[in-house]
Amino acid sequence: LDAVTMRRVAQDLGVTPMTLYTHVPGKADLLDLMLDTVYQDMPRTPYPPDATWRDRVTAVADANRALYQRHPWVARLPTTRPPLGPGVLAKYEHELRALDGLGLDDLEMDAALAHLLAFVHGTARAALDQRTTERESALSDQEWWDTHGPARFPLASRVGLAAGTAHQHAHAPDHGYAFGLARVLDGLAALIDRDRDRRT
């Protein structure tokens, strides 16, 4: 993202920066357009009629994770005020359909989707941070752990060693994603069941 400047983009397009400013007011607006474009390009195949709600919500999570893997810069953007362009709105509409018809009210649907996307965003940031740290430190996770492991803390040493041995990393993004997504789905199941009980 640091490389995306109005001057650099203008140079790559072969125009003056002032020419670019007649189309885009500034870098923040340029980033909004970039984000809306990648959201517009996300695949939005209809959910199969026989898909369970867990299948649909998992598809939403997986699609967002794939987006972060294709475009890691998206994980670095603030998420509080996304641009309300056609890509963002089409994405929101499609993802809400995964939760529609489950008995959740509109506020619960919005909050459930926001919770799911925040989880995916957090795991994407953690994976990106891990790659950056390994690149900048020139140490693998195992080398770092061997040097800095908590030898004076027996519980931390035991659990950390078990996790590191199982995943061959101090942090295992794929395992963290799968484990966390299952817990998010379990939480949504409890909410759906509670609302169903309340209605009956």
Side-chain angles (χ1 to χ4, degrees):
L1 289 179
D2 291 339
V4 180
T5 65
M6 298 294 281
R7 182 178 299 278
R8 173 78 179 272
V9 172
Q11 182 181 13
D12 287 352
L13 292 174
V15 299
T16 66
M18 289 310 297
T19 301
L20 190 59
Y21 280 110
T22 63
H23 299 280
V24 183
K27 180 174 177 174
D29 304 278
L30 179 60
L31 293 177
D32 283 350
L33 290 170
M34 290 167 56
L35 181 63
D36 197 67
T37 298
V38 296
Y39 281 174
Q40 185 71 47
D41 292 341
M42 287 179 75
R44 279 186 268 279
T45 53
Y47 303 111
D50 59 342
T52 67
W53 71 263
R54 282 180 178 261
D55 293 336
R56 297 192 307 264
V57 173
T58 298
V60 169
D62 290 347
N64 279 275
R65 187 176 192 226
L67 173 78
Y68 290 126
Q69 290 171 337
R70 279 193 313 274
H71 303 287
W73 58 270
V74 175
R76 296 286 188 210
L77 294 176
T79 59
T80 51
R81 288 188 178 177
L84 296 181
V88 170
L89 294 174
K91 177 180 183 290
Y92 184 53
E93 175 81 14
H94 176 73
E95 291 171 347
L96 284 173
R97 287 193 190 111
L99 297 163
D100 196 24
L102 300 180
L104 303 177
D105 65 33
D106 290 350
L107 293 179
E108 289 173 331
M109 286 175 60
D110 179 73
L113 180 58
H115 179 63
L116 174 72
L117 297 182
F119 159 73
V120 178
H121 180 260
T123 60
R125 283 293 301 260
L128 184 59
D129 290 345
Q130 179 189 27
R131 290 194 300 272
T132 301
T133 300
E134 284 185 354
R135 185 176 63 248
E136 292 176 354
S137 70
L139 290 175
S140 69
D141 275 354
Q142 188 60 52
E143 291 167 334
W144 179 87
W145 186 258
D146 290 343
T147 304
H148 300 92
R152 292 181 295 126
F153 301 94
L155 181 59
S157 293
R158 189 189 82 219
V159 173
L161 178 62
T165 301
H167 307 303
Q168 296 301 304
H169 285 286
H171 173 69
D174 291 342
H175 172 75
Y177 174 77
F179 181 87
L181 180 58
R183 303 296 73 77
V184 171
L185 295 174
D186 290 344
L188 289 177
L191 177 65
I192 292 164
D193 290 345
R194 186 205 69 193
D195 284 0
R196 185 179 298 120
D197 291 344
R198 187 175 59 203
R199 289 193 309 274
T200 57

